[in-house]
Amino acid sequence: MFLLRDAGFPSEERIFVFNGDYVDRGAWGLETLLLLLAWKVFLPNCVFLLRGNHESKYCTSVYGFEQEVMVKYKGQGAQVYRKFLRCFEDLPLASIIAGCVYTAHGGIFRGAVVLPSKRSKRAKKGHKYKAGPTDDSTTLKLGSLDELLKARRTVLDTPYEGSNLIPGDVLWSDPSLDKGLSLNNERGIGLLWGPDITQQFLYTNNLKLIIRSHEGPDARDKRHDLLAMDSGYTIDHHVACGKLITLFSAPDYPQFQASVDRYNNSGAYIVLSPPDFATPDFHTFQAVKPRPKAHPYYDFEDVIDSDEELNLGAMDTGTSSS
């Protein structure tokens, strides 16, 4: 609510792109998401809600949103929760702003590779190859926007194996200072990509900025290769064609922390203005204090601080049926 008041409410002259993770790890995920959905209904061409990795069945069952819905909606909780899961499936994975800014929750994604397949005796000439996304580090290559457009996104949980890996990459990947593309072994899903890949992605698609989110102060606290998330944003890659920015809009995150020492990070949002829309104007803000007392909807003392150590076997990679 503070961010909307500070930035100015959505209008035809003020278009918002929200970058996912509206729920979990706090007491008001339901109200936050409903407020943004209400703005989307009211001004559908002025408010865009991208999907984050927490808009999934697995994360919401671990980090509190499922239980929050059950408590607040009581007997109707299960039905309402299923409606939210269907909503999550339909959220777009990424956006292009003004033709020059790529925005996605995690970041970039792998492309399909052409793999040789066994050719049957009756196979027709020219049909000896098959294409599919690769999960082999030695054959990883950068994906195209056309491949992103064609990716199947209607999954309750983004697959970490199989043929439909692009959604998982877009929602779970992280930047690195090391060159190239590699599997994100720390998270067990998605990719790590270096400055050279940022340059390649910007150059190939005639873009100037990548704006992603996904890493709060707790995640960055475990990474010593990148800047800490103290100010609500970091510039992770500065290359010839432009910049890669990580933007995190939740101040004093997470709301519930097992440790006595809090991160006390600022939140931030970016304003992109004409004529080029490629010069980010950063606005930082602190959490409204004192924070009202609230009830956690998950056991934050036992659940890991960040979502880097995933129980991938618990993910449901199917589609919902209701």
Side-chain angles (χ1 to χ4, degrees), residues 35 38 45 71 79 98 100 106 110 115 142 174 191 197 212 222-223 243 248 252 295 319 322:
L35 176 62
N45 297 318
V71 170
Q79 179 183 1
C100 63
R110 77 194 76 188
L115 301 173
L142 183 62
D174 296 306
L191 305 171
I197 303 300
R212 47 90 64 176
K222 299 178 181 180
R223 301 191 62 185
K243 299 175 183 177
F248 199 79
D252 192 26
H295 174 73
T319 58
S322 60

Side-chain angles (χ1 to χ4, degrees), residues 237-250:
H237 297 160
H238 197 162
V239 296
C241 284
K243 299 175 183 177
L244 164 68
I245 298 167
T246 296
L247 180 69
F248 199 79
S249 300

Side-chain angles (χ1 to χ4, degrees), residues 8 13 19 27 37 60 66 68 71 113 125 134 150 164 169 198-199 229 243 254-255 268 286 312 318:
E13 290 75 36
N19 211 16
L37 288 173
T60 53
E66 179 182 12
E68 180 184 354
V71 170
V113 293
K125 185 178 180 180
T134 176
K150 295 176 181 177
N164 190 32
D169 290 347
T198 291
Q199 168 67 12
M229 191 55 62
K243 299 175 183 177
Q255 183 174 1
Q286 294 288 325
L312 296 176

Side-chain angles (χ1 to χ4, degrees), residues 252-273:
D252 192 26
Y253 180 88
Q255 183 174 1
F256 304 107
Q257 297 181 26
S259 60
V260 176
D261 295 329
R262 300 183 66 85
Y263 293 104
N264 287 315
N265 64 291
S266 296
Y269 62 89
I270 290 175
V271 176
L272 301 173
S273 301

Side-chain angles (χ1 to χ4, degrees), residues 112-162:
V113 293
V114 177
L115 301 173
S117 62
K118 294 181 179 179
R119 186 178 180 184
S120 67
K121 294 181 179 180
R122 300 179 64 182
K124 294 181 179 180
K125 185 178 180 180
H127 285 202
K128 65 177 182 177
Y129 295 105
K130 62 180 180 180
T134 176
D135 56 4
D136 181 356
S137 288
T138 62
T139 56
L140 285 173
K141 72 168 189 175
L142 183 62
S144 69
L145 293 180
D146 186 57
E147 288 174 303
L148 177 58
L149 270 176
K150 295 176 181 177
R152 182 170 64 89
R153 72 187 192 203
T154 53
V155 288
L156 292 174
D157 290 309
T158 50
Y160 61 95
E161 60 184 4

